[in-house]
Amino acid sequence: MLAMNYRGPRRVRIDHKPDPEILHPEDAVVRVTRSCICGSDLHLYNGSVPDTRVGMTFGHEVCGIVEEVGQDVEKLKVGDHVLVPFNIACGRCVFCQQELYGNCHESNSQATAVGGIYGYSHTAGGYDGGQAEYVRVPYANVGPTIIPEGMHPDDAVMLTDVVPTGYQAAEMGGIQPGDTVVVFGAGPVGIMAARCAWLFGAGRVIVIDHVEYRLEFVKNYAPAEVYNYKELDDVVVFLKQTTDWMGADVVIDAVGAEATGRAMQTLLGKKLHMVGGAATALHWAINSVKKGGIVSIVGVYGPIDTLVPIGNVVNKGLTIRGNQASVKRLLPRLIEHVQNGVLDPKALITHRIPLEEVSEAYKMFSAKLDNCIKPVLIPPSARV
Amino acid sequence: MKDEAKDIDNKVRDLENSVINPSQVKGWGIDADPKNDPTYPMKKRNNGEHAGYSWERPPQQPIDIEVLHSNERPNVSATFGTSVPPSGLSGVIRREAFNFSENSYGHWLPLMLADRINMVEGIVSDLARGHVPNIFGEMGWKADWKHDRANLVTKVVIGAALGTAVFALLRNRRKSRRTENYF
């Protein structure tokens, strides 16, 4: 089959790889019809995630058609159209039983701090991902969800990560009616977090980034007040000023390890890889939230230390919450929101690119070329 | 030998002594408030974890390739990925890294080193198969050419100028060394 093949930092190509097989009685093999490139794939692409091995196929935002099922798969049959949550979850361990599907204990041997994720390094389990024609889907009775009749596959694929992650970012913020919510990052997840903040009753939503076309998009889509931090002397002072010198009630970090804006963070986190990423957005979040406020983190960081002003967390009495989105827990509600027209995820997709052009797609997304917000890779069989 | 056994006995006793029955502690639970749960609604709390690693595990995927596992867990997870088993020099380093916990730089920094070595191994393996990797293609320069041509041309010109300058510098040095030797 055709599959994306990682060759080293900022080098990926399309290659022929063996088709995936059923390796466990609860496995399925899915023929991919859509596979997104996620902002978090760029951490892998840039070589920031330890144990990212040459030859791996990335891709954890996938939908497709069930091609084959293992002997113990009861909930799916060949031919079903499914969306596949990015978390690999067994459904039996104590964490899955508590609906922490992003924290499964039976899907990743190689690190206890993270559950299995498709195509996300060996630190997240060593599973090949879905930027390919086919993908192996473990625990097929648990994760994959049949796409409701009439739902567009572009909406379906966005429900595998972007929508639940943005929604959970807002949910973890514990937003109360009237709260001021600041979102750092106008990438797909930040855009969705800003949109979802309103669903929880926010009174004001502010998005901070430096990429103008993305700010313009979220301004209309969420909608939100938007500011380019490069045009501000000090983003924290600005946010204090605009909230009557209080700070925001809730601040969401939807940036993670690839942040720009502070030279020291960029040097240590992005250039030297000495820390688990450039934690600029998190630093700003802690300093711009009000005393007693909540910081919600969905930006992805590496497993080693990051530099944040933890003393301010204590002195301001902050609550910090974070997790990988529990996609399966959130799907029923989010499917409803898409079907009722409350959320329109496919509007974020700016580029539909043949799988064969994966190298260009990664470059375009990482360098933010051609006003790219969300690229989707489409394998040849799904283009017919 | 006898002393050692006594030591172990004492340690076990200490451990047993440390297990305290909470209901016998004065004031236990009088201010407990189940609503004060910052994990809500992410976690549907059932306190199952209090019983430890005790759930009925899914069937084990046959372990017929090398799977490294964190020393913070006792076993290989019921399913695992088979993308790229460890091999070569990078594999040796990865195996060593897994002797250290996720809590240690001794785990993560060697893994980063192994990733970089693995990149070179990838090029060698390509060449060994008779495939010359198109590195510029893999870096997506076509996208740069299409959407960011001016920047790409600038990068190429700067790169070429720097390359030429370094080449000229080295050639001049070699020339002057040869001249020195001659005299």
Side-chain angles (χ1 to χ4, degrees), chain A residues 312-358:
Chain A
N312 291 353
V313 174
V314 177
N315 292 334
K316 292 172 76 174
L318 304 185
T319 300
I320 294 190
R321 299 180 73 183
N323 205 345
Q324 298 285 352
S326 184
V327 179
K328 184 179 164 63
R329 173 176 69 86
L330 296 170
L331 271 178
R333 183 71 173 153
L334 295 175
I335 286 173
E336 213 176 276
H337 283 335
V338 173
Q339 287 180 320
N340 293 341
V342 173
L343 294 174
D344 176 17
K346 69 175 178 301
L348 272 68
I349 297 175
T350 50
H351 291 75
R352 292 168 181 80
I353 302 169
L355 173 66
E356 300 91 307
E357 293 173 22
V358 68

Side-chain angles (χ1 to χ4, degrees), chain B residues 18-30:
Chain B
S18 72
V19 179
I20 293 165
N21 181 349
S23 64
Q24 290 175 356
V25 176
K26 192 176 180 182
W28 177 76
I30 58 173

Side-chain angles (χ1 to χ4, degrees), chain B residues 1 4-5 7 33 52 59 73 84 97 99 110 118 120 122 126 133 137-139 172 177:
Chain B
M1 202 62 184
E4 245 177 61
D7 269 2
D33 177 6
R73 60 177 298 138
V84 188
N99 289 324
N118 197 197
V120 179
D126 271 346
E138 289 170 357
M139 292 174 79
N172 283 348
R177 218 176 287 149

Side-chain angles (χ1 to χ4, degrees), chain B residues 118-167:
Chain B
N118 197 197
M119 182 183 75
V120 179
E121 289 171 335
I123 293 173
V124 172
S125 141
D126 271 346
L127 295 174
R129 286 189 299 116
H131 173 80
V132 180
N134 175 1
I135 290 180
F136 296 120
E138 289 170 357
M139 292 174 79
W141 278 32
K142 262 191 206 165
D144 278 321
W145 182 250
K146 195 169 169 192
H147 302 292
D148 195 18
R149 196 168 298 179
N151 199 12
L152 176 66
V153 169
T154 311
K155 272 191 219 162
V156 170
V157 168
I158 291 173
L162 281 174
T164 311
V166 170
F167 178 74

Side-chain angles (χ1 to χ4, degrees), chain A residues 254-335:
Chain A
V255 179
E258 304 292 335
T260 53
R262 285 174 72 90
M264 183 62 84
Q265 293 274 8
T266 303
L267 176 70
L268 294 175
K270 292 178 70 176
K271 304 294 179 197
L272 300 176
H273 296 300
M274 294 297 290
V275 292
T280 305
L282 183 53
H283 189 120
W284 286 344
I286 289 168
N287 286 343
S288 58
V289 73
K290 73 166 58 156
K291 291 173 184 170
I294 299 176
V295 173
S296 166
I297 310 172
V298 287
V300 173
Y301 292 94
I304 52 176
D305 318 20
T306 45
L307 295 171
V308 292
I310 200 73
N312 291 353
V313 174
V314 177
N315 292 334
K316 292 172 76 174
L318 304 185
T319 300
I320 294 190
R321 299 180 73 183
N323 205 345
Q324 298 285 352
S326 184
V327 179
K328 184 179 164 63
R329 173 176 69 86
L330 296 170
L331 271 178
R333 183 71 173 153
L334 295 175
I335 286 173

Side-chain angles (χ1 to χ4, degrees), chain A residues 166 170 175 181 183 192-202 205 252:
Chain A
I175 298 166
V181 179
V183 180
M192 196 50 72
R195 175 76 194 95
C196 292
W198 294 114
L199 307 187
F200 289 93
V205 178
I252 294 170

